[in-house]
Amino acid sequence: MSQDSIAVGSMAGASSNSGRGLWSSRWAFFLAATGSAVGLGNIWKFPYITGENGGGAFVLVYLACILVIGIPLLMTEVMIGRRGRANPEGAMAALAKQVGAGRHWRLFGSMAILTGFLILSFYAVIAGWALAYTPAAIMGSFAGLNGESSGALFGALLGDPWKLVGFGTVVLLLTLGIVALGVREGLERSLRFMMPGLFVLLLGLVGYAATTGHFLEAVHFLFDADFSKLSGQSVLVALGHAFFTLSLATGAMMAYGSYLPAGTSIAKTAIMVALADTAVALLAGLAIFPLVFANGLEPGAGPGLIFVTLPIAFGQMPFGQLVGGLFFIMLAIAALTSAISLLEPTVAWLGEKFAIGRIKAVVLSGIVLWLLSLGTALSFNVWSDFTLFGKTFFDSLDYLTTSLLMPLGGLGTVVFGGWVLSRTVVQEALGIGHPHLFTLWWQVLRWVTPLGIVLVFLHTLGLFG
Ligand code: PFF
């Protein structure tokens, strides 16, 4: 189907979505969007950046960022997807055409698709670490670990190109397989059991953490706000993370929005997704920090918190093999539900732009993704000396996507939503009935959100802060 043939307004109400697929209900969309949002960012990154930035005060700033940047942008993306009823590039092109704006706006859609695709190439490798650690935990490899030997165990995984490529490939194959089956049969069906499984595992782990006797220490650590520990840098970390954790500027939420049935309130659903995502991040903190404190370990250990610090705790505590195994299975499921959302925009785009079938689009994407993932897997070992601008292949890709493309794409989308689309189009699409509430949201979208993004971006470029 060519993009020009997408009749925008009338399509928004269509129930068949022209054979593109639709979620069976608003609930299915909620599961999918939450599955996308909840991932390594919540369980791996959020706890360690909170640990590094002093706890409660950081959490407060992060919540503010979710509110003024994350939620407005999330609503805008879902709205563009649903109104455009096409892949991110096609949807932006269709909407721009509808309001008489230039065709170049579609490039922000193309950029988002590319960003998600590139992120998936390294996200799969990191998700592979969780897969690798699951059998290790269950088989008791963590018994008696101390700081040094745990670091060495993780180092041995990173140093083994076969293992990194192998586990990354398994994650990619699972992702490709689910996406190949389509919106209902693949994504929706798998999410219907993966998401409840994820929540049960998480609640079970929080329950276990509550029995360690150090739960309150974790609660204080996460919720006591000591602003003296907060730096300007922490605020920017919080802003950047709000983007990543809500899967913004990668086309994921636009693509998922394009399968959202008409008549669902985008505002309400987006707020529910953001709440669920935040709840999981906080619960992950409540599952992890009691174990860290109970075993006398360091909460501010950085990126190694999950893969170096936590295994020491699993090796020392009662039922550690079981708890550790369940923890890494949970991490792998969370990563997989995010990975499928990173692939869907590319597959939808290939299918709609070049009129090829879903399977063909998946195979093509898979080949390129796998080759790219080799770059990341090998950058931890055999290619670790190969650097671009002083960064390894993985660090360069991470920087290019999360520090440059994400804020740029987010800015473009928010400006498109707040300044190019008309107020009535947006109001009607979002379903915020209360006029004052909408006006407030509209002003935040037009001023506060873009300003926040510009701030992060200038800081990234070293021009500010
Ligand atoms: N939100 C995911 C996480 O927190 O791990 C990461 C992510 C998924 C980013 C999907 C972007 C995306 F499109």
Side-chain angles (χ1 to χ4, degrees), residues 75-371:
M75 288 186 197
T76 308
E77 292 203 8
V78 176
M79 175 196 76
I80 291 173
R82 184 169 72 178
R83 245 193 117 77
R85 286 290 187 223
N87 67 81
E89 185 192 88
M92 283 193 91
L95 256 71
K97 192 172 173 200
Q98 192 195 31
V99 297
R103 266 185 72 78
H104 57 271
W105 283 102
R106 79 181 199 287
L107 293 177
F108 283 108
S110 331
M111 195 165 102
I113 298 171
L114 178 69
T115 308
F117 188 78
L118 293 177
I119 289 179
L120 179 55
S121 77
F122 65 78
Y123 199 85
V125 176
I126 298 177
W129 301 352
L131 272 194
Y133 262 47
T134 306
I138 294 171
M139 281 160 9
S141 313
F142 299 157
L145 283 185
N146 58 29
E148 210 174 307
S149 54
S150 188
L153 188 74
F154 187 47
L157 172 67
L158 295 189
D160 186 335
W162 290 103
K163 271 197 184 155
L164 288 197
V165 171
F167 284 110
T169 305
V170 173
V171 174
L172 277 180
L173 285 174
L174 287 169
T175 309
L176 293 160
I178 293 173
V179 172
L181 290 172
V183 177
R184 281 263 175 107
E185 289 302 305
L187 279 69
E188 186 170 327
R189 222 167 52 163
S190 63
L191 286 160
R192 273 186 194 280
F193 71 86
M194 287 200 283
M195 292 310 287
L198 179 66
F199 282 112
V200 170
L201 285 173
L202 182 61
L203 291 180
L205 289 164
V206 174
Y208 179 87
T211 66
T212 58
H214 289 256
F215 196 69
L216 275 182
E217 216 172 315
V219 172
H220 283 300
F221 179 72
L222 279 172
F223 297 106
D224 287 355
D226 175 0
F227 281 90
S228 70
K229 289 187 186 149
L230 202 70
S231 62
Q233 172 75 23
S234 317
V235 178
L236 296 160
V237 170
L239 270 169
H241 189 61
F243 254 88
F244 189 75
T245 193
L246 289 180
S247 307
L248 300 171
T250 51
M253 292 300 184
M254 273 190 213
Y256 277 9
S258 78
Y259 309 125
L260 181 64
T264 306
S265 160
I266 290 176
K268 266 193 218 144
T269 318
I271 289 173
M272 276 166 56
V273 171
L275 281 178
D277 180 70
T278 305
V280 171
L282 294 174
L283 286 172
L286 289 178
I288 292 166
F289 288 120
L291 308 185
V292 171
F293 291 130
N295 291 280
L297 303 169
E298 173 52 48
L305 183 65
I306 293 291
F307 293 103
V308 180
T309 308
L310 217 47
I312 304 175
F314 292 137
Q316 291 174 356
M317 64 201 210
F319 309 112
Q321 283 170 244
L322 177 69
V323 178
L326 294 177
F327 180 86
F328 285 108
I329 291 177
M330 171 183 78
L331 189 60
I333 296 178
L336 186 61
T337 59
S338 296
I340 57 182
S341 75
L342 284 162
L343 180 60
E344 179 59 29
T346 300
V347 168
W349 176 76
L350 281 173
E352 287 161 20
K353 181 133 182 156
F354 302 103
I356 57 175
R358 188 167 263 271
I359 305 280
K360 217 179 198 175
V362 164
V363 172
L364 266 178
S365 320
I367 294 170
V368 181
L369 272 172
W370 187 75
L371 290 174

